[in-house]
Amino acid sequence: MQTLQLAPTVRAPYVSFDPDTGLLQLTGKSIPENAYELYRPLLGWMAAYVDNPAPRTELTFRLSYFNSSSSEYILDLMRMLEKIYLQGAEVRILWFYDHDDEDMEQIGEDFKSMLRVPIIMMMEEEKEN
Amino acid sequence: MASFDKMRLTPVTPSWFTAGEEVVLSYSGHFSGDTITALLQLADCKMAELDVRPPVRRKLFNIMVESLQNIYHHAKPQATTPKPSLFVGRGKAHFYVATGNCMARTEATALMRRLDEVNAMSYEDLTRRYRAQLASKPTSPPDPSRGAGVGLLDMARRSGHKIEYNFRPIDDQHGFFSLQVAVSE
């Protein structure tokens, strides 16, 4: 299985999913008009990954903006990992948000309340964006 | 914030704003993916120039994304007059994002009903509904209108204000629907 790496654009985040280390990350903006198009390869990759995951999996979200249609696919990614977590795999999700971004914090809390996989809220000090 | 009826969101009447208000951004025409990206970048620049606090900037940016993408997915290209519009304004204590586009009357009626529902909800209600709606979405196949419900809830929650709307009939079948979302400074 190969590492999935996607360059960021003005509408899409940097993506790096490494199947060997189990370190998966999305960084930047996720505001595509067509979220399915953006997330389809990620969901496909994840579907294959969960069949044979690394000993530890850590999915990191470090997003500055995302639109509501992305949130559905983010939830899907999390759910796929939740499934292997409930089967005994070591999985955690890190949700980064700026200290003054109450909306991003709230959405992290939303996901947390909807899922049983551990979601760790990571507040970041300083700076904007 | 200007009262909503004073805001004439049409490209033919470039006089939406009243004294004491500032135009941050105004656009009308076709909304392609690239246009939307450019408008968002422009809005971001303007807000940086205006020294808007980052939390307010982020809220406005997100609300712009949702409203512009609504137009992108729902505006009927064949109903060309008046053209879809975006207006970002600054009142005394608020910014607001106003968007408008032509819509079938039936569609507008359904949308207004949804907006009334959303406007009647407290922050906690919005959060509960947002979670329930997100949780119940099937994954595929993709449906471009799928995000709409969640999008309205998301905007309402970020805004913290009631979403104002207006529907102006054009003919028996169509009208111009405009939506205004405020963010306190």
Side-chain angles (χ1 to χ4, degrees):
Chain A
M1 194 174 178
Q2 292 204 325
T3 296
L4 176 70
Q5 203 143 26
L6 301 174
T9 71
V10 286
R11 276 170 275 186
Y14 167 71
V15 176
S16 172
F17 286 2
D18 185 332
D20 300 323
T21 62
L23 294 175
L24 324 178
Q25 57 162 314
L26 285 94
T27 305
K29 291 179 188 168
S30 178
I31 52 169
E33 287 86 34
N34 189 336
Y36 183 70
E37 228 165 71
L38 171 62
Y39 281 91
R40 191 172 40 185
L42 280 65
L43 294 167
W45 188 96
M46 192 67 93
Y49 175 78
V50 293
D51 280 344
N52 187 20
R56 269 186 84 238
T57 302
E58 185 176 275
L59 173 60
T60 300
F61 291 93
R62 206 186 275 264
L63 299 173
S64 51
Y65 292 107
F66 73 95
N67 58 356
S68 59
S69 47
S70 295
S71 59
E72 298 170 24
Y73 298 103
I74 289 174
L75 180 64
D76 288 339
L77 288 173
M78 290 179 172
R79 273 183 174 153
M80 292 164 108
L81 288 180
E82 176 179 57
K83 207 172 151 196
I84 59 167
Y85 170 76
L86 294 174
Q87 290 163 355
E90 199 180 326
V91 179
R92 61 178 202 165
I93 296 171
L94 305 184
W95 186 264
F96 281 86
Y97 63 96
D98 275 0
H99 69 287
D100 61 356
D101 194 345
E102 54 178 31
D103 295 328
M104 195 59 88
E105 180 183 4
Q106 176 64 58
I107 289 164
E109 294 292 347
D110 292 336
F111 287 128
K112 217 174 147 165
S113 77
M114 294 163 72
L115 296 159
R116 282 176 286 173
V117 60
I119 299 179
I120 301 153
M121 301 295 288
M122 307 289 286
M123 187 176 84
E124 286 191 290
E125 292 299 334
E126 47 143 356
K127 74 176 177 95
E128 57 199 57
N129 290 331
Chain B
M1 191 172 59
S3 68
F4 192 57
D5 54 344
K6 282 188 185 137
M7 198 203 62
R8 293 168 198 87
L9 192 63
T10 87
V12 287
T13 322
S15 55
W16 329 256
F17 55 95
T18 53
E21 293 210 347
E22 204 178 318
V23 184
V24 177
L25 186 61
S26 169
Y27 171 84
S28 104
H30 178 59
F31 284 77
S32 67
D34 287 340
T35 316
I36 290 174
T37 302
L39 287 168
L40 290 170
Q41 282 171 336
L42 184 56
D44 219 26
C45 286
K46 290 277 297 204
M47 288 189 273
E49 269 174 31
L50 294 169
D51 255 338
V52 182
R53 291 189 304 118
V56 176
R57 233 163 103 180
R58 277 194 293 253
K59 279 178 187 292
L60 284 167
F61 188 90
N62 271 299
I63 288 166
M64 281 182 66
V65 169
E66 296 298 331
S67 3
L68 294 177
Q69 292 182 349
N70 269 341
I71 294 184
Y72 178 85
H73 290 300
H74 298 284
K76 301 278 175 291
Q78 61 272 29
T80 47
T81 10
K83 290 191 163 37
S85 339
L86 163 74
F87 180 78
V88 183
R90 184 188 211 176
K92 287 192 176 64
H94 299 85
F95 280 92
Y96 55 92
V97 176
T99 44
N101 59 275
C102 286
M103 207 180 268
R105 279 188 182 223
T106 49
E107 214 180 319
T109 306
L111 182 53
M112 288 188 274
R113 201 174 305 130
R114 274 221 309 277
L115 283 163
D116 289 339
E117 258 176 61
V118 167
N119 281 339
M121 290 186 207
S122 66
Y123 188 87
E124 289 70 30
D125 291 338
L126 288 169
T127 296
R128 246 192 311 275
R129 185 69 74 86
Y130 178 90
R131 291 175 179 178
Q133 203 138 327
L134 200 56
S136 67
K137 298 281 184 187
T139 310
S140 43
D143 169 1
S145 65
R146 224 176 76 187
V150 175
L152 286 183
L153 295 165
D154 183 60
M155 280 202 286
R157 213 161 59 145
R158 289 180 197 271
S159 155
H161 294 268
K162 303 298 173 203
I163 298 177
E164 295 186 52
Y165 60 81
N166 187 269
F167 183 67
R168 208 181 53 236
I170 296 168
D171 58 34
D172 291 349
Q173 305 278 313
H174 300 90
F176 193 76
F177 191 89
S178 30
L179 200 70
Q180 179 171 306
V181 188
V183 176
S184 297
E185 263 200 80

